[in-house]
Amino acid sequence: MIERKRTDWSYRTKMFNMKVAVKAIPISADDFPKYCRLLETVHQKQDFTASIVMEGSEDYNQILLSYTGDAFYLEITYPMDDFGWDHPLILANDSLTLAEAEEVLRSLLVDGTDQTEIITNHFHEISSSIYEEKN
C-alpha cells in the first residue's frame, strides 16, 4: 500500500492575508524580485499569508504563500469550472526551503509553467480535504 503524504494546510489560514494582483503571465524577470519579497515578508511576519492573485491567467487562480515556522508553505489554486467541479483544485507543499519556494514562483510567474519536477512530484492535492471538511 502506498502511503499518501499528508500536507498540513492549516498554514493557509492566518490572521492577516495580503493580496497582490498579477495582470498577465509571464511577468518580466526584472519584476520577479518584487514577488520574492513576499516570501521574506511571510517569513518575518509569521501571522501573515500572501496571495498572488492571477487576473490574467486561465491556468491558475492564485498562489498562496505562508511560513510554517520551519519551512515555506505554498499552494497553487486551479479553476476547475470547465470540468464541472464545484470547487477549485488546490495543490500544496508545506516543507519548501527558500530556494525551492523561489523556484516554484519563478516557474509559475516568469516561465508561465507548472510542469516542473518540484510541482509535479512534491506538491499534493489538498482541495478534497478542505472542501470535505466544509461540507
Side-chain angles (χ1 to χ4, degrees):
M1 184 169 130
I2 297 173
E3 183 179 325
R4 186 179 155 138
K5 165 108 170 77
R6 173 151 164 35
T7 300
D8 182 356
W9 49 270
S10 65
Y11 304 110
R12 70 191 317 265
T13 54
K14 294 200 175 177
M15 189 169 292
F16 303 102
N17 185 13
M18 23 181 192
K19 293 189 179 204
V20 176
V22 172
K23 302 282 185 206
I25 300 287
I27 65 167
S28 105
D30 292 338
D31 288 336
F32 182 65
K34 296 175 192 174
Y35 296 94
C36 287
R37 282 191 213 110
L38 293 172
L39 291 169
E40 294 170 21
T41 300
V42 298
H43 183 263
Q44 292 171 357
K45 300 177 186 269
Q46 294 185 21
D47 55 346
F48 273 62
T49 59
S51 297
I52 301 171
V53 179
M54 314 296 212
E55 295 180 349
S57 173
E58 295 179 10
D59 296 324
Y60 0 95
N61 287 346
Q62 112 177 335
I63 304 166
L64 186 129
L65 318 166
S66 188
Y67 191 71
T68 70
D70 297 315
F72 287 92
Y73 171 89
L74 267 70
E75 71 181 42
I76 308 163
T77 304
Y78 297 85
M80 298 303 286
D81 302 338
D82 291 347
F83 300 98
W85 289 31
D86 60 351
H87 58 79
L89 170 65
I90 303 171
L91 301 180
N93 185 313
D94 59 2
S95 59
L96 297 168
T97 65
L98 176 59
E100 290 168 333
E102 286 178 356
E103 177 185 337
V104 170
L105 284 183
R106 179 175 295 283
S107 173
L108 295 170
L109 298 174
V110 178
D111 302 335
T113 184
D114 61 356
Q115 297 302 305
T116 62
E117 190 274 335
I118 194 163
I119 295 172
T120 58
N121 294 331
H122 301 286
F123 273 62
H124 305 279
E125 184 273 332
I126 62 166
S127 47
S128 58
S129 299
I130 291 169
Y131 290 96
E132 175 183 84
E133 292 212 358
K134 290 185 177 183
N135 291 334

